[in-house]
Amino acid sequence: MTMPRKGSRLITVDGTAFRWRIRHRPTYRQGNGWSPLTVTVERADEPGRVLVVSLPCARPDNWLGERAIPVRPVLVAGCIRRALEQGWHPGQPGSAFTLTVTEDDLAVLLGEPPQYLTPFLWGMIPEGGGIKDLPRCTEIWSRDKQNTSRTPSDP
């Protein structure tokens, strides 16, 4: 099994170049929050055995507003190191190696407590935050406009 190159990002961990990728669109199970967010990793120069990392949260683009975390390079690097410690040999052929990350593992891999996000109509709100925490808000309908001939529900 090889990972598609399109949409992958490069990362160097302990002198070895890897490519990592998150699926472009959620599967039906991921969209509903039934399956966790997964990240795939393989060596950049000599792809072999793929690493599949299962994280203990939903995808940020899930349909039900389940909490999520942003996948940053520091988390990917920590997962690669953990998988190598647990016996992943990225240069050898074989079936995918699965690493399941728990809630407790996240703080260790990130080096800090995870910053969960909750999807909201126009963006993401940090856990425990409010509307003022939205990084950017797109107005989809203004109540200030005087044109009341059409409502947002009209086709």
Side-chain angles (χ1 to χ4, degrees):
M1 174 178 151
T2 60
M3 189 175 79
R5 286 184 167 274
K6 187 173 183 178
S8 67
R9 298 181 64 185
L10 288 173
I11 187 169
T12 302
V13 177
D14 302 330
T16 304
F18 294 93
R19 289 187 306 118
W20 64 279
R21 183 177 191 272
I22 297 174
R23 183 182 169 95
H24 179 68
R25 292 184 184 190
T27 64
Y28 184 76
R29 293 183 58 78
Q30 289 174 334
N32 280 312
W34 300 334
S35 294
L37 171 61
T38 57
V39 179
T40 55
V41 181
E42 72 179 3
R43 278 184 48 178
D45 55 351
E46 297 175 30
R49 193 171 186 193
V50 174
L51 169 65
V52 178
V53 179
S54 178
L55 297 171
C57 57
R59 288 176 55 105
D61 58 353
N62 75 82
W63 308 324
L64 301 177
E66 299 289 329
R67 72 180 185 158
I69 59 169
V71 178
R72 301 184 331 222
V74 67
L75 177 58
V76 174
C79 291
I80 291 170
R81 287 186 184 103
R82 173 77 51 94
L84 290 168
E85 291 170 4
Q86 292 184 6
W88 176 47
H89 299 286
Q92 296 177 352
S95 59
F97 184 90
T98 303
L99 175 69
T100 303
V101 177
T102 65
E103 291 278 340
D104 295 334
D105 293 335
L106 278 179
V108 174
L109 295 171
L110 289 168
E112 64 185 20
Q115 299 293 314
Y116 290 102
L117 302 172
T118 303
F120 183 68
L121 184 59
W122 297 298
M124 296 286 190
I125 298 177
E127 189 173 52
I131 196 79
K132 68 182 182 331
D133 296 314
L134 281 173
R136 185 174 184 183
C137 182
T138 305
E139 187 174 346
I140 58 173
W141 183 60
S142 175
R143 287 185 247 155
D144 298 334
K145 292 184 180 176
Q146 296 301 318
N147 184 0
T148 58
S149 62
R150 286 180 51 134
T151 62
S153 61
D154 286 346

